[in-house]
Amino acid sequence: MIDHDGFRPNVGIILSNRDRRLFWGRRVGQNAWQFPQGGIHSDETPEQAMYRELEEEVGLVSAQVTILGSTRGWLRYHLPKRYIRRHCGPTCIGQKQVWFMLRVDCGEDAFCLDKTEKPEFDAWRWVRYWQPLHEVVYFKRRVYLQALEELAPALYPEGPPARDEPQSPIARLLSQGGR
């Protein structure tokens, strides 16, 4: 489903734990990290799509999370020209997303990344609040910033933490357990 402007309706999911760390998933077979996200079917509300995507991508169900907040409207990003498929209609130029901030109310043993035949993630970790801005693919950074800024009060009513400085590639490897 593509809207008249060329954007695919989508949901983004920011999962937080009790320590206010965020779920950060690695896309299958890639060194690309992101929050769970997925398309909204024509017969779904954004909240229904969020729960479906949550179960498909992370293996959690509604009873295992609490919705802390959602964005007031759509946040949009454009795909780079090389990713736009023009020979199959309608042409999708990007995504428009409603973002949800969720608190995980269960143990980590409930997470299941391979609940479907085509898993989205093959690994995951907890990260500091602003860290995704330094690691997500460049064309999603602005939307991630918008979502994190808008939803920060849901997780940090006293005010969000200071923004992290980007790590050098060597520091990032060491923090991930690499050499």
Side-chain angles (χ1 to χ4, degrees), residues 54-92:
L54 180 68
E55 186 170 7
E56 289 175 5
E57 295 188 6
V58 185
L60 301 181
V61 297
S62 63
Q64 295 171 308
V65 297
T66 299
I67 297 176
L68 300 178
S70 64
T71 54
R72 291 180 297 279
W74 298 106
L75 304 181
R76 290 173 173 77
Y77 69 83
H78 287 82
L79 292 168
K81 289 183 180 174
R82 70 179 178 270
Y83 295 130
I84 297 175
R85 291 175 265 175
R86 300 200 184 272
H87 303 300
C88 56
T91 300
C92 176

Coordinates of all heavy atoms in Angstrom, one line a residue, residues 54-92:
L54 N 5.7 -6.5 16.1 CA 6.4 -6.8 17.4 C 6.6 -8.3 17.5 O 7.6 -8.8 17.8 CB 5.7 -6.2 18.6 CG 6.3 -6.4 19.9 CD1 7.7 -5.7 20.1 CD2 5.4 -6.0 21.0
E55 N 5.4 -9.0 17.3 CA 5.5 -10.4 17.4 C 6.3 -11.1 16.3 O 7.1 -12.0 16.6 CB 4.0 -11.0 17.4 CG 4.0 -12.5 17.7 CD 2.6 -13.1 18.0 OE1 1.6 -12.3 17.8 OE2 2.6 -14.3 18.3
E56 N 6.1 -10.6 15.1 CA 6.9 -11.2 14.0 C 8.4 -11.0 14.1 O 9.2 -11.9 13.8 CB 6.4 -10.6 12.6 CG 5.0 -11.0 12.2 CD 4.5 -10.2 11.0 OE1 5.3 -9.5 10.4 OE2 3.4 -10.4 10.6
E57 N 8.8 -9.8 14.5 CA 10.2 -9.5 14.5 C 11.0 -9.8 15.8 O 12.1 -10.0 15.8 CB 10.4 -8.0 14.1 CG 10.0 -7.7 12.7 CD 10.3 -6.4 12.1 OE1 11.0 -5.6 12.8 OE2 9.9 -6.0 11.0
V58 N 10.3 -9.7 16.9 CA 10.9 -9.8 18.2 C 10.3 -11.0 19.0 O 10.9 -11.4 20.0 CB 10.8 -8.5 19.0 CG1 11.6 -8.5 20.3 CG2 11.4 -7.3 18.1
G59 N 9.1 -11.4 18.7 CA 8.5 -12.5 19.3 C 7.7 -12.2 20.6 O 7.3 -13.0 21.3
L60 N 7.5 -10.9 20.8 CA 6.8 -10.4 22.0 C 5.3 -10.2 21.6 O 5.0 -9.8 20.5 CB 7.4 -9.2 22.6 CG 8.8 -9.3 23.0 CD1 9.3 -8.0 23.6 CD2 9.0 -10.4 24.0
V61 N 4.4 -10.3 22.6 CA 3.0 -10.1 22.4 C 2.6 -8.9 23.3 O 3.3 -8.5 24.2 CB 2.1 -11.3 22.7 CG1 2.5 -12.4 21.7 CG2 2.3 -11.8 24.1
S62 N 1.4 -8.4 23.1 CA 0.9 -7.2 23.8 C 1.0 -7.4 25.3 O 1.3 -6.4 26.0 CB -0.5 -6.9 23.4 OG -1.4 -7.9 23.7
A63 N 0.8 -8.5 25.9 CA 0.8 -8.7 27.4 C 2.2 -8.6 27.9 O 2.4 -8.4 29.1 CB 0.2 -10.1 27.7
Q64 N 3.2 -8.6 27.1 CA 4.6 -8.5 27.5 C 5.2 -7.1 27.4 O 6.4 -6.9 27.7 CB 5.5 -9.5 26.7 CG 5.0 -10.9 26.9 CD 5.7 -11.9 26.0 OE1 5.7 -11.7 24.8 NE2 6.4 -12.9 26.6
V65 N 4.4 -6.1 27.0 CA 4.9 -4.8 26.8 C 3.8 -3.8 27.3 O 2.7 -4.1 27.4 CB 5.3 -4.4 25.4 CG1 6.4 -5.3 24.9 CG2 4.1 -4.6 24.4
T66 N 4.3 -2.6 27.6 CA 3.4 -1.5 27.9 C 3.7 -0.3 26.9 O 4.9 0.0 26.7 CB 3.6 -0.9 29.3 OG1 3.3 -2.0 30.2 CG2 2.7 0.2 29.6
I67 N 2.6 0.2 26.3 CA 2.8 1.4 25.4 C 3.1 2.6 26.3 O 2.2 3.0 27.1 CB 1.6 1.6 24.5 CG1 1.4 0.4 23.5 CG2 1.8 2.9 23.7 CD1 0.2 0.5 22.6
L68 N 4.2 3.3 26.1 CA 4.5 4.5 26.9 C 4.1 5.7 26.1 O 3.9 6.8 26.7 CB 6.0 4.5 27.2 CG 6.5 3.4 28.1 CD1 8.0 3.5 28.3 CD2 5.8 3.3 29.4
G69 N 4.1 5.6 24.8 CA 3.7 6.8 23.9 C 3.9 6.4 22.5 O 4.4 5.4 22.1
S70 N 3.4 7.4 21.6 CA 3.5 7.3 20.2 C 3.6 8.7 19.6 O 3.2 9.6 20.2 CB 2.3 6.5 19.6 OG 1.1 7.2 19.8
T71 N 4.2 8.7 18.4 CA 4.3 10.0 17.8 C 2.9 10.6 17.4 O 2.0 9.8 17.2 CB 5.2 10.0 16.5 OG1 4.7 9.0 15.6 CG2 6.7 9.7 16.9
R72 N 2.8 11.9 17.4 CA 1.5 12.5 17.1 C 1.1 12.3 15.7 O -0.1 12.4 15.4 CB 1.6 14.0 17.5 CG 1.7 14.3 19.0 CD 1.8 15.8 19.3 NE 2.9 16.4 18.7 CZ 4.1 16.4 19.3 NH1 4.3 15.7 20.4 NH2 5.2 17.0 18.7
G73 N 2.0 12.2 14.8 CA 1.7 12.1 13.4 C 2.7 11.2 12.7 O 3.6 10.6 13.3
W74 N 2.7 11.3 11.3 CA 3.6 10.6 10.5 C 5.0 11.3 10.5 O 5.1 12.5 10.4 CB 3.1 10.5 9.1 CG 1.8 9.8 8.9 CD1 0.6 10.4 8.6 CD2 1.6 8.4 8.9 NE1 -0.4 9.4 8.5 CE2 0.2 8.2 8.7 CE3 2.4 7.3 9.1 CZ2 -0.4 6.9 8.6 CZ3 1.8 6.0 9.1 CH2 0.4 5.9 8.8
L75 N 6.0 10.4 10.6 CA 7.4 10.9 10.3 C 7.8 10.3 9.0 O 7.6 9.1 8.8 CB 8.3 10.5 11.5 CG 7.9 10.9 12.9 CD1 8.9 10.5 13.9 CD2 7.7 12.4 13.0
R76 N 8.5 11.0 8.1 CA 8.8 10.5 6.8 C 10.3 10.5 6.5 O 11.0 11.4 7.0 CB 8.1 11.4 5.7 CG 6.6 11.3 5.7 CD 6.0 12.3 4.7 NE 4.6 12.1 4.5 CZ 3.6 12.4 5.4 NH1 4.0 13.0 6.6 NH2 2.4 12.2 5.2
Y77 N 10.7 9.5 5.7 CA 12.0 9.5 5.2 C 11.9 9.1 3.7 O 11.1 8.3 3.3 CB 13.0 8.7 6.0 CG 12.8 7.2 5.9 CD1 13.4 6.4 4.9 CD2 12.2 6.5 7.0 CE1 13.2 5.0 4.9 CE2 12.1 5.1 7.0 CZ 12.6 4.4 5.9 OH 12.4 3.0 5.9
H78 N 12.8 9.6 2.9 CA 13.0 9.3 1.5 C 14.0 8.2 1.3 O 15.1 8.2 2.0 CB 13.4 10.5 0.7 CG 12.3 11.5 0.5 ND1 12.0 12.5 1.5 CD2 11.4 11.7 -0.5 CE1 11.0 13.2 1.0 NE2 10.6 12.8 -0.2
L79 N 13.8 7.3 0.4 CA 14.8 6.3 0.1 C 15.8 6.9 -0.9 O 15.4 7.8 -1.7 CB 14.1 5.1 -0.6 CG 13.2 4.2 0.2 CD1 12.4 3.3 -0.7 CD2 14.0 3.4 1.2
P80 N 17.0 6.5 -0.8 CA 18.0 7.0 -1.8 C 17.5 6.5 -3.2 O 16.9 5.4 -3.3 CB 19.3 6.3 -1.4 CG 19.1 6.0 0.1 CD 17.7 5.7 0.3
K81 N 17.8 7.3 -4.2 CA 17.4 6.9 -5.6 C 17.7 5.5 -6.0 O 16.9 4.9 -6.7 CB 17.9 7.9 -6.6 CG 17.3 9.3 -6.4 CD 17.8 10.3 -7.4 CE 17.1 11.6 -7.2 NZ 17.6 12.7 -8.0
R82 N 18.9 5.0 -5.5 CA 19.3 3.7 -6.0 C 18.4 2.6 -5.4 O 18.4 1.4 -5.9 CB 20.7 3.4 -5.6 CG 21.0 3.3 -4.2 CD 22.5 3.0 -3.9 NE 22.9 2.9 -2.6 CZ 23.3 4.0 -1.8 NH1 23.4 5.2 -2.4 NH2 23.6 3.8 -0.6
Y83 N 17.6 2.9 -4.3 CA 16.7 1.9 -3.7 C 15.3 2.0 -4.2 O 14.4 1.1 -3.9 CB 16.7 2.0 -2.2 CG 18.0 1.7 -1.6 CD1 18.6 2.5 -0.6 CD2 18.7 0.5 -1.9 CE1 19.8 2.3 0.0 CE2 19.9 0.2 -1.3 CZ 20.4 1.1 -0.4 OH 21.6 0.8 0.2
I84 N 15.0 2.9 -5.0 CA 13.6 3.1 -5.6 C 13.4 2.2 -6.8 O 14.1 2.3 -7.7 CB 13.3 4.6 -5.9 CG1 13.4 5.5 -4.7 CG2 12.0 4.7 -6.6 CD1 13.3 7.0 -4.9
R85 N 12.4 1.3 -6.7 CA 12.1 0.4 -7.7 C 11.0 1.1 -8.6 O 9.8 1.2 -8.2 CB 11.6 -0.9 -7.2 CG 12.7 -1.7 -6.5 CD 12.1 -2.9 -5.9 NE 11.9 -2.6 -4.5 CZ 11.3 -3.4 -3.6 NH1 10.9 -4.5 -3.9 NH2 11.1 -3.0 -2.4
R86 N 11.4 1.5 -9.8 CA 10.5 2.3 -10.6 C 9.7 1.4 -11.6 O 8.8 1.9 -12.2 CB 11.3 3.4 -11.4 CG 12.0 4.3 -10.4 CD 12.3 5.6 -11.1 NE 13.0 6.5 -10.2 CZ 12.5 7.4 -9.4 NH1 11.2 7.5 -9.4 NH2 13.2 8.1 -8.6
H87 N 10.1 0.2 -11.8 CA 9.5 -0.7 -12.8 C 8.4 -1.6 -12.2 O 7.9 -2.4 -12.9 CB 10.6 -1.6 -13.4 CG 11.7 -0.8 -14.1 ND1 11.5 0.2 -15.0 CD2 13.0 -0.7 -13.8 CE1 12.6 0.7 -15.4 NE2 13.5 0.2 -14.6
C88 N 8.0 -1.4 -11.0 CA 6.9 -2.1 -10.4 C 6.0 -1.0 -9.7 O 6.5 -0.3 -8.8 CB 7.3 -3.2 -9.5 SG 8.3 -2.7 -8.1
G89 N 4.8 -0.9 -10.1 CA 4.0 0.2 -9.6 C 3.2 -0.2 -8.4 O 3.0 -1.4 -8.1
P90 N 2.7 0.7 -7.6 CA 3.1 2.1 -7.6 C 4.5 2.4 -7.1 O 5.0 1.6 -6.3 CB 2.1 2.8 -6.8 CG 1.6 1.8 -5.8 CD 1.8 0.5 -6.5
T91 N 5.1 3.4 -7.5 CA 6.5 3.7 -7.1 C 6.5 4.2 -5.6 O 5.8 5.1 -5.2 CB 7.1 4.8 -8.0 OG1 7.1 4.3 -9.3 CG2 8.5 5.2 -7.5
C92 N 7.3 3.6 -4.8 CA 7.5 3.9 -3.4 C 8.8 4.8 -3.3 O 9.9 4.3 -3.6 CB 7.6 2.7 -2.5 SG 7.9 3.0 -0.8

